[in-house]
Amino acid sequence: MSAPADPMSEPLAWLLLLAEGRLARRNETAAAWDLARDAGWVELTGRREEAVLRERHRGAVEARLDHLWPGWRAEAEALRSAGERPTSAGWQRLADARRRADLPGALPASLNRRTVAAALRDHSKAALGPADHAAVGVTAVTHDNLLRMRPHAGLRLARDGASLDAGSLVALCGEVCVTERAIRAGTRLAGPPPRAILLVENLGVYVDVPLPAGWCAVHVPGWNTRMVAHLRDAWPTTPALLFGDLDPNGVAIARALRAAWPGLRWFIPDFAAEYLPRAREGRWPEDRGDAPPVVRQLMEAERWIEQEVFVLDARLEADLERALGAG
């Protein structure tokens, strides 16, 4: 499905023709270029799909603009004052600069990145650039992720001299969830460290995987790995294992996390090869790199295994202990 046409494309193309006297045919200028050619308002040059304005038709172009964009004269001056050409990119930069100038003088200490994008860009999912971050000043732009844990015995959450037993939270809520903003505000993981940390990619596995005594399971949802650094920094000497899908995305996530967390072990059950008959078809990238034997088998067969199939295998908990000891 093609993206909807930008309603500003045609008016900006006419403005560009007036300002520079010539117009090249591009996707964003095609409507104006075709109309101008068919109406005889332009003359084709020797260059491919380039046209120059016939000055005697300048008034016709202005009339077209008056119809499409009654305030175009003021906006043309605003573009000139900002040093921008009347193109989609120039118009976007002018609009962004105006939104930055219109920000309230007092902002909260933190704002979600999508709130900031909605205020400064065309929509909430737009990427933020250096100018956007500069515009909000000292306001922290947050992703508002969650550190979601099945904690080990003894874990406490501490802040400003107060602490809370994580076991009490588990009794009430089923698990422990600490927001990014709470961590920014000073909440920390206290008490004795776990025997091991198990990072789990998929939600179903995170809630259902049988944990050996003293282990802490943490949900790391796919590529959303921003909260992992807090665990690494809180328990720098604690062994950590990653348990994820045996598919191209899971392998890429494993490699990225291991690069960011030296010593992180990639846990693949010893019995994983027995599940090869349950593997599903799926293509792998050409550049496959080094991989454990069972993953190499999957790559060569163009198949993959989702981690959920291992959860009810009675050997899984013992295999986690084995992997910890093997490290």
Side-chain angles (χ1 to χ4, degrees), residues 262-287:
L264 178 65
R265 307 173 197 175
W266 187 358
F267 171 70
I268 299 174
D270 273 350
F271 50 82
E274 298 177 24
Y275 285 80
L276 289 174
R278 292 198 58 183
R280 303 177 64 186
E281 292 185 5
R283 295 191 61 81
W284 289 78
E286 293 298 323
D287 182 12

Side-chain angles (χ1 to χ4, degrees), residues 120-136:
L120 298 181
R121 306 302 305 278
D122 280 347
H123 55 83
S124 66
K125 294 182 177 62
L128 298 175
D132 302 311
H133 287 279
V136 299

Side-chain angles (χ1 to χ4, degrees), residues 95-119:
D96 290 346
R98 285 170 163 171
R99 283 188 282 259
R100 289 194 293 270
D102 288 340
L103 269 182
L107 293 174
S110 298
L111 283 172
N112 183 273
R113 62 191 175 93
R114 293 197 171 178
T115 303
V116 175

Side-chain angles (χ1 to χ4, degrees), residues 205-268:
V205 180
Y206 160 72
V207 295
D208 290 333
V209 63
L211 290 177
W215 284 48
C216 177
V218 181
H219 187 215
V220 181
W223 280 104
N224 190 358
T225 62
R226 293 176 179 271
M227 301 298 282
V228 165
H230 298 295
L231 296 168
R232 181 196 62 207
D233 296 343
W235 299 316
T237 62
T238 299
L241 297 85
L242 173 66
F243 185 21
D245 286 330
L246 303 183
D247 66 1
N249 207 40
V251 169
I253 292 168
R255 288 171 175 161
L257 277 173
R258 294 177 79 197
W261 189 332
L264 178 65
R265 307 173 197 175
W266 187 358
F267 171 70
I268 299 174

